Amino acid sequence: AQSVSQHNHHVILSEAASLELGCNYSYGGTVNLFWYVQYPGQHLQLLLKYFSGDPLVKGIKGFEAEFIKSKFSFNLRKPSVQWSDTAEYFCAVINWGKLQFGAGTQVVVTP
Amino acid sequence: KAGVTQTPRYLIKTRGQQVTLSCSPISGHRSVSWYQQTPGQGLQFLFEYFSETQRNKGNFPGRFSGRQFSNSRSEMNVSTLELGDSALYLCASSTSGYEQYFGPGTRLTVT
């Protein structure tokens, strides 16, 4: 069965710091990968997606993620975070309409 | 385009009762997926409907059921509610089941 694991459950960092959130998946076939974000009091929003092609994908709000097939990883990055990036971030893999989510990483950005 | 809408937004029910939640997808989207979000279990897939047919189902008991109408609107029903059913129920829509867009959710509290 496929699964998704996120390395950190809680990350605290200061504004302007760089962010990298780890995500590993276990799935033998072709993978379609996503990062979603849930800001406080808001619904889940799609940050970025990887279906095929360039393994470095860019999303909204300055986020990017790199798909490394040999490492079964899809890590999320942002060079310089802002206070407004405080949110919970979820990595997910999809199979036939079913999104399998990781446990999520709570990111707190301090001013 | 209007986003995914879910009604009601909040619901309080008593153990043993049943509940029906509604989801209206983004116009043109034929796939609707349902998820349960709890602090302990995270985001878990319930089922996915595409053109009125259930295509995929998660590992939930038969008390959880759903359906989709010809206009792609979907309903989810939970019978014989248990305290553990208290959760945020999320609906997501997509054109084909891959790139899913989420609604705000229905917060169900079972007392």
Side-chain angles (χ1 to χ4, degrees), chain B:
Chain B
K1 274 187 181 177
V4 178
T5 58
Q6 293 186 245
T7 57
R9 293 293 310 279
Y10 302 92
L11 208 47
I12 300 175
K13 288 286 188 178
T14 303
R15 197 169 44 181
Q17 288 186 314
Q18 77 163 20
V19 68
T20 299
L21 312 182
S22 182
C23 172
S24 292
I26 293 170
S27 177
H29 285 191
R30 296 166 64 189
S31 168
V32 173
S33 298
W34 288 88
Y35 297 84
Q36 181 196 65
Q37 186 176 24
T38 60
Q41 300 297 317
L43 283 151
Q44 293 186 287
F45 172 79
L46 282 153
F47 27 67
E48 188 238 358
Y49 286 87
F50 183 85
S51 293
E52 301 179 67
T53 300
Q54 187 181 90
R55 286 201 302 192
N56 207 340
K57 190 176 188 305
N59 297 321
F60 279 81
R63 300 185 296 107
F64 291 80
S65 63
R67 59 178 176 168
Q68 187 180 32
F69 302 95
S70 58
N71 61 359
S72 294
R73 190 177 69 84
S74 178
E75 287 183 346
M76 190 193 96
N77 186 75
V78 188
S79 62
T80 320
L81 284 165
E82 300 177 0
L83 296 178
D85 297 332
S86 294
L88 181 66
Y89 290 89
L90 297 171
C91 165
S93 79
S94 69
T95 54
S96 61
Y98 283 86
E99 194 168 325
Q100 297 186 13
Y101 294 88
F102 283 81
T106 294
R107 173 75 61 186
L108 173 65
T109 302
V110 182
T111 62

Side-chain angles (χ1 to χ4, degrees), chain A residues 1-5 24-33 67-73 92-98 100, chain B residues 56 98:
Chain A
Q2 58 184 324
S3 65
V4 178
S5 63
N24 285 92
Y25 64 91
S26 65
Y27 185 61
T30 302
V31 287
N32 297 302
L33 295 155
F67 170 62
I68 304 179
K69 189 175 180 179
S70 61
K71 295 184 177 180
F72 297 91
S73 70
V93 63
I94 196 160
N95 182 31
W96 284 104
K98 171 185 176 180
Q100 180 82 36
Chain B
N56 207 340
Y98 283 86

Side-chain angles (χ1 to χ4, degrees), chain A residues 3-25:
Chain A
S3 65
V4 178
S5 63
Q6 293 184 235
H7 304 166
N8 310 96
H9 292 299
H10 232 97
V11 171
I12 301 174
L13 58 167
S14 302
E15 275 190 314
S18 64
L19 172 71
E20 179 159 2
L21 302 182
C23 172
N24 285 92
Y25 64 91

Side-chain angles (χ1 to χ4, degrees), chain A residues 9 36-39 44 86-90 103-107, chain B residues 37:
Chain A
H9 292 299
Y36 282 86
V37 61
Q38 194 169 33
Y39 297 104
L44 273 170
T86 293
E88 190 158 18
Y89 294 80
F90 296 91
T105 299
Q106 182 67 50
V107 173
Chain B
Q37 186 176 24

Side-chain angles (χ1 to χ4, degrees), chain A residues 67-86:
Chain A
F67 170 62
I68 304 179
K69 189 175 180 179
S70 61
K71 295 184 177 180
F72 297 91
S73 70
F74 189 55
N75 293 352
L76 181 71
R77 297 194 290 254
K78 185 170 184 178
S80 176
V81 295
Q82 301 173 314
W83 176 79
S84 57
D85 293 321
T86 293

